[in-house]
Amino acid sequence: MTTANVLEKRGFTESDEFARKLDRLAEVAVRVGLGLAPRQQVVMTATLEQVPLARRITEHAYRAGASAVTTIFADEECALLRFHHAQDFSFDTAPAWLYDGMAAAYRGGAARLAIAGGNPALLAKEDPEKVSRLNRATSKAYRPALELITRQEINWTIVSGATPAWAAAVFPGLPQEQALERLWNAIFAITRIDKADPVSAWKEHDAHLHARADWLNEKRYAALHFRGPDTDLRVGLADEHLWDGGGSVARNGVYCIPNMPTEEVFTTPHKSRVDGHVTSTKPLSYQGTMIEGISVRFEAGRIVQAHASRGQHVLEQMIGTDEGARRLGEVSLVPHSSPIASSGLLFLNTLFDENAACHIALGQAYTMCMKDGEKLSREELAARGANESLIHVDWMIGSNRIDVDGISASGPEPLLRAGEWTWKV
Amino acid sequence: MTTANVLEKRGFTESDEFARKLDRLAEVAVRVGLGLAPRQQVVMTATLEQVPLARRITEHAYRAGASAVTTIFADEECALLRFHHAQDFSFDTAPAWLYDGMAAAYRGGAARLAIAGGNPALLAKEDPEKVSRLNRATSKAYRPALELITRQEINWTIVSGATPAWAAAVFPGLPQEQALERLWNAIFAITRIDKADPVSAWKEHDAHLHARADWLNEKRYAALHFRGPDTDLRVGLADEHLWDGGGSVARNGVYCIPNMPTEEVFTTPHKSRVDGHVTSTKPLSYQGTMIEGISVRFEAGRIVQAHASRGQHVLEQMIGTDEGARRLGEVSLVPHSSPIASSGLLFLNTLFDENAACHIALGQAYTMCMKDGEKLSREELAARGANESLIHVDWMIGSNRIDVDGISASGPEPLLRAGEWTWKV
């Protein structure tokens, strides 16, 4: 057998080409996404399936001057064992000590890197009431740490690695090895790892997103109007809202790009000025369960009717988390021609799917999407319309059949038509 | 091919017999070792190689009423990447936020389970000066959490699972699969998992260790005298010392057996009353490096001369950690006929090797081995001779050629001869 034959027999994830790309993804995550500064600690989270990527990231973080890299590995199998064997009270308990520890790390200057890519349907067969209670307990325990992230106190980023369960969900008809290869290749393409110089490609893309956000910031729209099949939604924007996109300087002075991929420009809606109805255009994978065919009616910012063709109970539990869970915390514009939509794939993973289409998020607003947001008190932020909640759940409302107008004092202006920007930057 | 043939072709660790024993080890660890109380959280630590045992323990912990089981998995590969790629300052950094988080969990009532069994020679080829600095930084960061454990504030236990690297170190001549099977079988035998009723076997053994400790407590020896080849050591015991062994009620009211296996009875030496010379009888695996042929001279409790035939530098770094690292914090008696010594194996893992032979520990003393120890201040404990240090490192000085006397006001009494107890309980 020749060497070539031996190589052919190896699966893609054992190939040298894969190893090179995985290493490059790790390098881009650390240097471009996280923008790691020397002597920072890194707090990484990942499932056990992500060990190969976590190792490559660990190496690049140390090479970039990390003082310590600590990965908290979650085991999906153990998560299922809990649902199958734990007593009822367990589902109201979360390890607050761990999340508080992470918050302490961030306050001490650590950077935060999450590897996403869990099984999108992990908890689909579990009791939705227990799923919801555990999500709520976890959200509550995680809140202090999450606030440091959403307030951009530190540099952070989320990247994804393919896993067998995720690949099987995206490519249900393919054998496991092929599904995994196709998902990895999609991730490499979408995160610009295939480019000759991924770092330059990311810098160019980042500049492009900033130009779009700047243009929207000059417009000072009072509202956006979404129209399409089963959708007619007016989203009032918060007073002194800011559009954001791509990377930004965190309050610790480090420039980071918090999502890889990212294709969106986004801002803060006014929590009391959203009216009309809207229908989801992609299924939502929400903490291990699927919610599909979401159809919601807003009045004065608040959801007054919510229906899902699948996952109705989980949707109700989600919007019942707290008062802010029924209101919007983010609105985001993405053209239908984004590389993710172009792939034609449904990733069942918010990091990817939200960057394939215009979307809205229920729950917590981002301080950085308000002028001088980091200097304002909670009361001042609320007075300007910024929403507060334990949750922040994005779901997709864009497609090539959606039109979006910007509403200013002088009337509506077309922003997107059939899912595409009406202007170039 | 018959079913029997198929089963024969499977490796031991994929067999049903192995699965049953692994599950029983997990059950005994949770119910007997940890003595888990309903509604306790569990903080587990393990390396990635221990995932199968960690999952079995997770299930049994939830079945026993755990409210949440959180496992912090360490990756030995990432530990090596740090040595190969991190900058110099990294070796003085430890994730204190994580250890402080664990301490908070213990203060909040969590139980602690550690799965031991790492590669005993993981860091053998790394720069000993960096190894030592990182150990010191880690010990310092871990101290608040460790103190809650050594003060028995909570129920805790350590169990072991076999791993390929550990098995290869114990059985260097065997193929990996065979080495792993032999190490697992040794662990199952030594932890009484092979018995028809492991829980009853443990209760009987525990009662036996308590009877020995009670007998020694009645004796009120002032000192122990170890004699053997290259050893003539008088170990003064702390004022108001207590002998302990087997399980005990932690201060949270839960009965636990902190080590599985455990064959020792142990107490607190007087930090200023140790004189003579002593030679190690087994190699010591110390945080990823090997120290062999330790030969040490004590004067008035303090090491004044220390030599190792291998690992001299690491030994020096270890005893240089702080002033207490040069003094004894524990002395422990184990008969040579213990199941571990009988196995004839050198495990290169302190949890096993310390239970095969009499041993001493440099560093921190155990409060529970002092009368009313938990009520005494640090100053009061020190006045009675209890040692304080960042480290607690056991090393073996017993063998079938060692005699031990107990020294009381009326003179010496024989305790062990040729490594065996001179009396039965």
Side-chain angles (χ1 to χ4, degrees), chain B residues 31-105:
Chain B
R31 295 188 183 263
V32 181
L34 204 55
L36 189 71
R39 295 180 182 264
Q40 278 197 296
Q41 284 199 37
V42 177
V43 178
M44 179 152 53
T45 51
T47 62
L48 289 179
E49 288 74 19
Q50 303 285 7
V51 166
L53 179 55
R55 285 177 176 167
R56 297 291 80 228
I57 288 173
T58 298
E59 176 177 328
H60 282 287
Y62 280 123
R63 287 166 69 172
S67 61
V69 181
T70 307
T71 303
I72 307 295
F73 287 104
D75 181 15
E76 295 190 331
E77 187 65 30
C78 281
L80 285 176
L81 288 170
R82 182 179 201 164
F83 279 90
H84 300 165
H85 299 288
Q87 292 180 36
D88 189 69
F89 54 75
S90 167
F91 299 94
D92 300 314
T93 309
W97 60 269
L98 180 59
Y99 300 121
D100 288 346
M102 288 180 179

Side-chain angles (χ1 to χ4, degrees), chain B residues 276-324:
Chain B
H277 62 273
V278 61
T279 304
S280 64
T281 51
K282 286 172 184 274
L284 166 63
S285 166
Y286 177 64
Q287 303 193 303
T289 64
M290 297 298 299
I291 312 180
E292 293 180 34
I294 302 173
S295 170
V296 157
R297 170 173 295 282
F298 287 89
E299 281 179 19
R302 193 165 184 277
I303 291 179
V304 292
Q305 243 178 39
H307 181 262
S309 60
R310 183 177 162 202
Q312 169 82 17
H313 184 74
V314 180
L315 175 65
E316 282 172 10
Q317 293 281 341
M318 180 178 88
I319 65 178
T321 304
D322 50 26
E323 174 58 26

Side-chain angles (χ1 to χ4, degrees), chain B residues 134 136 280 393:
Chain B
L134 188 55
R136 187 188 304 219
S280 64
V393 182

Side-chain angles (χ1 to χ4, degrees), chain A residues 168-191:
Chain A
V170 177
F171 303 103
L174 290 185
Q176 177 177 304
E177 182 69 25
Q178 271 180 49
L180 203 54
E181 175 171 356
R182 284 201 52 189
L183 184 54
W184 270 120
N185 280 334
I187 290 171
F188 291 142
I190 287 164
T191 52

Side-chain angles (χ1 to χ4, degrees), chain A residues 12-305:
Chain A
F12 173 66
T13 56
E14 288 156 52
S15 72
D16 297 338
E17 183 199 351
F18 172 75
R20 263 196 310 276
K21 287 184 178 175
L22 190 72
D23 190 69
R24 207 183 286 186
L25 175 60
E27 185 177 5
V28 170
V30 169
R31 295 187 181 263
V32 181
L34 204 55
L36 189 70
R39 293 179 182 265
Q40 279 197 295
Q41 283 199 38
V42 176
V43 178
M44 179 152 53
T45 52
T47 62
L48 289 180
E49 288 74 19
Q50 303 284 6
V51 166
L53 179 55
R55 287 178 176 166
R56 299 289 79 229
I57 288 173
T58 299
E59 175 176 330
H60 282 287
Y62 280 123
R63 286 166 68 171
S67 61
V69 180
T70 307
T71 303
I72 307 295
F73 287 104
D75 181 16
E76 295 190 330
E77 188 65 31
C78 281
L80 286 176
L81 288 170
R82 183 179 200 163
F83 279 90
H84 301 167
H85 300 287
Q87 293 181 36
D88 189 71
F89 55 74
S90 168
F91 300 95
D92 300 315
T93 309
W97 60 269
L98 179 59
Y99 301 122
D100 289 346
M102 289 181 179
Y106 305 154
R107 282 190 290 266
R112 166 86 171 97
L113 193 151
I115 305 182
N119 179 351
L122 181 70
L123 303 178
K125 292 179 184 160
E126 308 308 323
D127 177 354
E129 195 254 339
K130 286 181 180 170
V131 171
S132 160
R133 279 165 54 204
L134 188 56
N135 283 340
R136 187 188 303 220
T138 304
S139 296
K140 203 173 157 189
Y142 187 46
R143 177 154 198 168
L146 185 63
E147 277 187 353
L148 295 169
I149 293 170
T150 57
R151 289 207 314 259
Q152 291 277 102
E153 297 283 343
I154 55 159
N155 50 321
W156 60 284
T157 199
I158 310 177
V159 294
S160 276
T163 60
W166 182 20
V170 177
F171 303 103
L174 290 185
Q176 177 177 304
E177 182 69 25
Q178 271 180 49
L180 203 54
E181 175 171 356
R182 284 201 52 189
L183 184 54
W184 270 120
N185 280 334
I187 290 171
F188 291 142
I190 287 164
T191 52
R192 297 172 169 78
I193 299 305
D194 281 342
K195 305 273 183 187
D197 181 352
V199 173
S200 296
W202 267 99
K203 289 201 168 148
E204 191 183 317
H205 176 56
D206 190 36
H208 191 76
L209 291 172
H210 278 282
R212 284 214 184 276
D214 291 347
W215 188 88
L216 286 161
N217 278 326
E218 279 173 27
K219 288 289 184 179
R220 311 299 324 146
Y221 290 126
L224 304 178
H225 189 187
F226 292 82
R227 269 168 303 134
D230 298 316
T231 288
D232 186 349
L233 184 73
R234 187 186 156 104
V235 178
L237 300 183
D239 302 338
E240 309 275 356
H241 68 270
L242 280 184
W243 287 88
D244 201 354
S248 57
V249 180
R251 293 179 70 190
N252 65 358
V254 182
Y255 192 90
C256 67
I257 298 180
N259 286 185
M260 290 193 138
T262 183
E263 302 289 338
E264 57 177 335
V265 289
F266 54 101
T267 193
T268 303
H270 195 293
K271 62 176 180 168
S272 309
R273 296 180 193 155
V274 181
D275 292 275
H277 62 273
V278 62
T279 304
S280 63
T281 51
K282 286 172 184 274
L284 166 62
S285 165
Y286 176 64
Q287 303 191 302
T289 64
M290 297 298 301
I291 312 179
E292 293 180 35
I294 303 172
S295 171
V296 155
R297 171 172 295 283
F298 287 90
E299 281 178 20
R302 192 167 184 277
I303 291 179
V304 292
Q305 243 179 39

